[in-house]
Amino acid sequence: MEILCRTVGLLAANCYILRNGDEAIIIDPGGDPQLLYPCIGDRVLLYVINTHGHYDHIAANNPLKARYDTRLACFETEAQMLFNPDKNLSAMVGARYISVAPDLLLSDGDTLNIGRETLEIIHTPGHTEGSISLRMGTVLFSGDTLFYHSVGRTDLPGGDLDTLRESIKTRLYSLPDETIVYTGHGESTMIGEEKRYNEWVRV
Ligand SMILES: [Zn+2]
């Protein structure tokens, strides 16, 4: 399994491309689709997954859906944000973006497969109500829930700091310390590193 990262869009979101043989998955296509096309090439794009419904993580949903025969997926309660420019925050930057509808509504504990690997959906509300993290073996994609020595904003609609802390403590800090965390913005980290040094969420 190869994991590529492209930093996309105005807010420099991390978009991850998982590649296994002739198959691929994209997590959080937040813009700049022309940077993503060469990463896919002739592969079958199985899924486009949004960790949550903010504009900087969904802005390339539409061009990817138009170009590839793929399935768009997000958490079940997050779908409404994709269509609402006020809730997905695109209105704040004057873009008024409306995403195409998800093909797949995810629930906590659902799994998606690529090759022999399994992506497990972990509901981690707090940054938004329907934020998810995705675990694949010893790797975690944390969206805007957990950052390197920090956490996602909770001052936006649907955000709540206590809920975010609870999500991280109960759902992410319970993962093995050596789990690599690929974050939605900035550098990657590890669960053990965050348990020791993240001042926002003490163990
Ligand atoms: Zn966000």
Side-chain angles (χ1 to χ4, degrees):
M1 179 73 62
E2 285 176 284
I3 301 173
L4 286 68
C5 179
R6 294 290 179 270
T7 303
V8 297
L10 284 176
L11 297 176
N14 291 330
C15 173
Y16 296 97
I17 304 100
L18 318 187
R19 305 200 303 196
N20 183 78
D22 61 355
E23 297 180 329
I25 288 177
I26 291 184
I27 299 172
D28 284 352
D32 297 323
Q34 72 285 355
L35 295 181
L36 308 178
Y37 301 149
C39 301
I40 302 304
D42 293 332
R43 291 172 184 81
V44 176
L45 183 57
L46 299 173
Y47 303 103
V48 173
I49 306 170
N50 299 143
T51 60
H52 63 291
H54 284 155
Y55 180 53
D56 60 323
H57 295 255
I58 68 172
N61 282 356
N62 293 0
L64 287 171
K65 275 290 290 180
R67 189 177 175 107
Y68 300 100
D69 181 16
T70 189
R71 281 182 285 175
L72 177 64
C74 72
F75 195 71
E76 49 198 345
T77 58
E78 198 78 349
Q80 35 101 18
M81 301 207 11
L82 273 55
F83 319 128
N84 186 322
D86 294 307
K87 288 187 179 172
N88 69 33
L89 308 180
S90 60
M92 265 171 54
V93 294
R96 298 206 68 81
Y97 179 73
I98 297 172
S99 169
V100 295
D103 305 287
L104 198 56
L105 296 179
L106 302 169
S107 304
D108 186 58
D110 280 356
T111 55
L112 301 174
N113 296 316
I114 175 169
R116 288 197 208 119
E117 299 283 352
T118 298
L119 275 170
E120 180 200 347
I121 310 306
I122 306 173
H123 183 213
T124 47
H127 175 64
T128 65
E129 289 168 9
S131 278
I132 54 171
S133 302
L134 300 124
R135 187 183 70 85
M136 183 177 67
T138 56
V139 166
L140 182 83
F141 301 94
S142 64
D144 285 0
T145 297
L146 181 62
F147 294 139
Y148 173 75
H149 290 193
S150 188
V151 297
R153 288 176 63 167
T154 54
D155 58 331
L156 298 163
D160 184 81
L161 183 57
D162 289 339
T163 305
L164 183 86
R165 285 183 162 139
E166 195 62 21
S167 290
I168 293 172
K169 269 190 195 171
T170 60
R171 305 304 306 275
L172 303 187
Y173 281 2
S174 54
L175 298 171
D177 280 2
E178 59 272 22
T179 305
I180 299 165
V181 182
Y182 290 115
T183 61
H185 297 269
E187 61 193 285
S188 56
T189 183
M190 296 179 88
I191 290 295
E193 169 81 14
E194 295 311 309
K195 281 162 77 172
R196 273 187 292 278
Y197 300 113
N198 194 318
E199 308 226 333
W200 288 85
V201 189
R202 307 307 305 183
V203 179

